[in-house]
Amino acid sequence: MLRTLTIKTTLINNQARLFHTSSILTRKVVATRKLLEKSQARLENQGFELVQWPHDSSMPREKLLRDVKGAEGLICMLSDKIDADVFNAAGPSLKVVSTMSVGYDHIDLATAKEKNIQIGYTPDVLTDATADLTVMLVLAAARHMKLAQRAAETGEWREWRPQWLCGYQFKNKTLGVVGMGRIGQAVAHRLKAFGIDRVLYWGRKEKPELKASLNADFVPLNDLLCQSDYVVACCALTPDTKEVFNYDAFKKMKKTAIFVNSARGGVVEQDSLVRALKENLIAGAGLDVTTPEPLPTDHELFKLDNCLILPHIGSATFEARETMGDMCIDNVVSALEGKPLPFGLKY
């Protein structure tokens, strides 16, 4: 009797597994780009029908709209515009969109909420990689790295000259951080090691605990701009921060100030930055983000000696990108199994 019961239980469990596998195999997931090696192998072994753009370029818009039809999951990149057209093309089957980024301003959240589609992203994992790069930009802009490298390559490097390529140090200087989230705090901690004496920050709310750990003061934006030697943008792009760095903002900064943006290009009114750099309202700028991306090679910013531009590589470490890929997979698998997203937005 016991043996019969065991056999029946085993058969039921096997049938359940077969049903689960069969149902997964009929479920479609679209990925707009290949992931890194380890996370890509994991993605391919999930068992669902995977439709993926295999090239090292953005998935063409018309192909995305065609391929997403009937999909239950979508893994996208920051460069993909996920709007109402995409949601409508997917149809009612779409359960989750997971973006391989910490930002999600490229996704139409209002339509997603209306259609009850879960949105996943990759928070926290980018903190160290982006903070490292932000500090590199601050150092490079402060010490004229662009001009110095060019001088070494073109033969301008001649005899020692007292004032040639002089930049700015960090000891006893003030750092201003716009957006004191995880990345902003990580940047401040790193720059404190270079001698930064005081940290000012502006954002959505005050964080009293930062006074003890960073000697950081929550101040109005105008005070931050006027008093800081280094101004770093680490904020999300929101209606409150859109083009917050305009000509008036740059006019308030010290003429010796260095401005660095590793947040989003949209927090800067770019024509105003060009004007401010040309007029020497600030000493220099370092940018990992621009508007648009990629920035046209003939753009005025590239022609300025006091502006250093990188191609949005804040999260570009193997460690960060592999983890980001895994987080996207975790989000999609959870949604297909009817579970809450482990890295999902809360509407």
Side-chain angles (χ1 to χ4, degrees):
M1 180 70 176
L2 181 61
R3 184 171 178 274
T4 303
L5 181 60
T6 302
I7 291 172
K8 286 183 177 180
T9 302
T10 303
L11 286 172
I12 291 170
N13 288 339
N14 286 340
Q15 288 172 350
R17 279 195 291 270
L18 285 170
F19 177 77
H20 176 72
T21 303
S22 175
S23 63
I24 285 285
L25 285 170
T26 62
R27 308 180 84 166
K28 179 178 176 182
V29 172
V30 174
T32 65
R33 193 78 58 88
K34 288 193 73 171
L35 308 182
L36 269 69
E37 183 178 358
K38 293 178 182 178
S39 48
Q40 176 64 29
R42 183 185 167 212
L43 178 64
E44 292 173 359
N45 289 327
Q46 289 304 308
F48 40 61
E49 178 192 352
L50 177 63
V51 178
Q52 188 170 34
W53 181 244
H55 306 292
D56 189 23
S57 60
S58 295
M59 188 179 200
R61 177 75 173 177
E62 61 276 11
K63 182 168 178 57
L64 172 59
L65 293 174
R66 183 170 63 250
D67 286 353
V68 78
K69 183 178 181 180
E72 293 190 43
L74 172 62
I75 295 175
C76 68
M77 309 292 146
L78 187 64
S79 53
D80 299 310
K81 184 180 181 182
I82 309 302
D83 56 10
D85 289 342
V86 173
F87 291 127
N88 291 333
S93 61
L94 189 62
K95 292 179 172 59
V96 59
V97 174
S98 192
T99 178
M100 192 173 166
S101 61
V102 67
Y104 40 84
D105 47 276
H106 56 298
I107 300 175
D108 182 349
L109 297 182
T111 300
K113 183 177 181 181
E114 177 186 321
K115 293 180 176 292
N116 199 30
I117 296 169
Q118 297 186 82
I119 302 297
Y121 68 132
T122 58
D124 305 344
V125 68
L126 314 182
T127 299
D128 288 329
T130 304
D132 289 348
L133 187 94
T134 303
V135 170
M136 185 186 79
L137 274 173
V138 175
L139 294 169
R143 295 299 297 272
H144 302 303
M145 196 67 66
K146 179 178 180 179
L147 283 174
Q149 183 176 2
R150 184 190 303 161
E153 292 173 346
T154 61
E156 188 184 347
W157 182 13
R158 304 190 306 273
E159 73 283 355
W160 186 85
R161 287 163 274 174
Q163 195 171 335
W164 186 54
L165 291 177
C166 282
Y168 300 96
Q169 295 181 193
F170 296 85
K171 189 174 182 179
N172 299 324
K173 299 291 180 64
T174 298
L175 169 68
V177 181
V178 175
M180 195 57 119
R182 290 182 177 88
I183 293 173
Q185 291 177 45
V187 169
H189 277 291
R190 284 159 169 75
L191 285 174
K192 289 282 285 186
F194 287 87
I196 287 291
D197 177 59
R198 187 183 180 208
V199 177
L200 306 177
Y201 68 99
W202 175 80
R204 287 178 293 182
K205 62 179 181 179
E206 184 175 5
K207 300 180 178 180
E209 68 277 10
L210 298 183
K211 182 63 178 177
S213 60
L214 288 170
N215 189 27
D217 293 312
F218 184 65
V219 297
L221 180 59
N222 284 347
D223 291 355
L224 182 150
L225 296 173
C226 294
Q227 298 177 32
S228 299
D229 299 289
Y230 300 94
V231 178
V232 177
C234 298
C235 52
L237 178 59
T238 68
D240 289 333
T241 62
K242 182 176 173 58
E243 296 187 346
V244 67
F245 291 101
N246 51 31
Y247 188 72
D248 287 340
F250 292 120
K251 280 178 66 176
K252 292 170 184 172
M253 294 185 194
K254 298 179 180 180
K255 289 189 179 298
T256 54
I258 298 295
F259 170 71
V260 166
N261 183 15
S262 59
R264 287 287 181 268
V267 304
V268 177
E269 192 177 83
Q270 209 156 256
D271 290 342
S272 294
L273 176 59
V274 171
R275 183 180 172 191
L277 290 168
K278 282 185 171 182
E279 295 176 1
N280 295 313
L281 295 183
I282 59 175
L287 310 174
D288 187 43
V289 289
T290 59
T291 304
E293 292 183 1
L295 193 65
T297 55
D298 61 350
H299 195 278
E300 195 70 19
L301 283 173
F302 282 120
K303 302 172 186 177
L304 301 175
D305 291 336
N306 55 352
C307 185
L308 176 65
I309 302 172
L310 300 179
H312 202 157
I313 56 171
S315 66
T317 65
F318 290 107
E319 297 90 345
R321 294 284 174 84
E322 285 283 17
T323 305
M324 291 166 72
D326 279 334
M327 293 167 79
C328 285
I329 297 168
D330 290 343
N331 280 333
V332 169
V333 170
S334 294
L336 265 58
E337 292 179 347
K339 299 175 182 177
L341 304 192
F343 312 103
L345 292 178
K346 292 180 173 58
Y347 292 116

